[in-house]
Amino acid sequence: MQRLIRTYNARLLSHPYSTKAAGTGLTYVCSDLTAQAIERRQHPGSSAGGSALSAERALKFGAVGGFWVGPLLTYWFQLMDRIVPGRSPRAIAVKMLVDQTVQGPFMIGTMFAWCAVLNGASPAAIEAKLRTELYDTWVNSVYVWAPVQIVQQAVVPLQYRVAVSNVVSYFWDTYLSLQMMPPPDEAEPPVALHARPADGAAAGAAAPVAAMPAAASTRAAPVLLRRMSTERPPKVPSGS
């Protein structure tokens, strides 16, 4: 164990960004696999409740963590310590406030966007996702991360802050995966409403029958009544 810690510390000194990015990416993969397991327990009857977990989905979420969140958090922690140095109560309060009001919404919003792009969402769908879910997710993040950031800034050395964040992130990112990564049913492209009937199928069975609008039927009623009143009744043959 001590050897592993020494190796990790050496990697932090020689390759800080790639080491922290790899740890964040691995955390995100584990979080998404956990989220998939939760989805399968909640929806056992759907295709999301199948037995196999999606490695592709987990790797997509892991890529967001490894190539975006990890490097961004590394730079962000360094920037905050440069702008607001020290561990006084005032410095800690300023860092926590800036972290939650600037970095928090930006990070969550960009994660929503990256996850949606990797799942093939359109720009309109991404905008709708952000409009409906970003604010509530950010508010929940404040409840989780504000206390964590206070402890981080007060007692955790700078080089270990991303690693400590990853420990908490396992649980938080499981929640984010449930919010950001759609189940398989939602990820599949929608089926066209007016599909061409299969070969050999009756065309009339596939084509919907449009109902007559109420206004049209109201206008047609007087015409039908006048026509019926002017028509002569058929002659009945007289008895012999």
Side-chain angles (χ1 to χ4, degrees):
M1 187 65 181
Q2 292 180 352
R3 182 179 179 181
L4 180 63
I5 295 176
R6 285 196 301 268
T7 302
Y8 180 74
N9 288 334
R11 290 287 302 178
L12 282 177
L13 293 175
S14 60
H15 303 85
Y17 280 88
S18 61
T19 301
K20 296 172 184 178
T24 305
L26 180 60
T27 302
Y28 273 57
V29 169
C30 296
S31 295
D32 185 74
L33 292 174
T34 304
Q36 291 187 52
I38 293 173
E39 289 172 354
R40 277 151 178 74
R41 293 193 63 179
Q42 291 178 343
H43 309 285
S46 65
S47 59
S51 58
L53 300 178
S54 173
E56 179 182 359
R57 169 179 155 167
L59 290 176
K60 287 178 181 179
F61 198 58
V64 174
F67 292 106
W68 179 246
V69 178
L72 191 60
L73 284 181
T74 302
Y75 177 77
W76 175 252
F77 287 143
Q78 293 175 349
L79 179 64
M80 282 200 299
D81 260 27
R82 194 179 308 128
I83 296 176
V84 188
R87 297 185 178 182
S88 65
R90 179 180 177 277
I92 293 173
V94 170
K95 290 178 184 178
M96 187 272 293
L97 180 63
V98 174
D99 183 76
Q100 296 305 304
T101 57
V102 177
Q103 184 273 143
F106 175 77
M107 177 70 75
I108 295 173
T110 54
M111 285 181 64
F112 266 117
W114 281 120
C115 290
V117 168
L118 291 176
N119 284 293
S122 65
I126 296 174
E127 180 184 356
K129 186 85 169 175
L130 292 173
R131 187 169 56 251
T132 57
E133 298 188 25
L134 174 59
Y135 178 77
D136 290 340
T137 306
W138 169 69
V139 170
N140 291 334
S141 76
V142 173
Y143 292 128
V144 174
W145 287 106
V148 173
Q149 291 305 325
I150 291 174
V151 175
Q152 288 261 66
Q153 301 295 336
V155 299
V156 178
L158 178 61
Q159 66 269 26
Y160 296 122
R161 287 177 189 170
V162 174
V164 173
S165 295
N166 288 340
V167 175
V168 182
S169 285
Y170 168 74
F171 303 97
W172 170 248
D173 294 332
T174 299
Y175 163 75
L176 287 186
S177 177
L178 293 169
Q179 298 294 109
M180 298 179 179
M181 300 297 288
D185 286 342
E186 297 177 4
E188 294 174 357
V191 179
L193 294 179
H194 301 288
R196 180 178 299 177
D199 295 340
V209 179
M212 179 181 293
S217 62
T218 304
R219 291 193 301 268
V223 178
L224 293 176
L225 290 175
R226 288 196 300 268
R227 185 178 300 173
M228 291 173 62
S229 62
T230 56
E231 289 180 352
R232 294 182 178 180
K235 293 183 177 180
V236 180
S238 58
S240 54

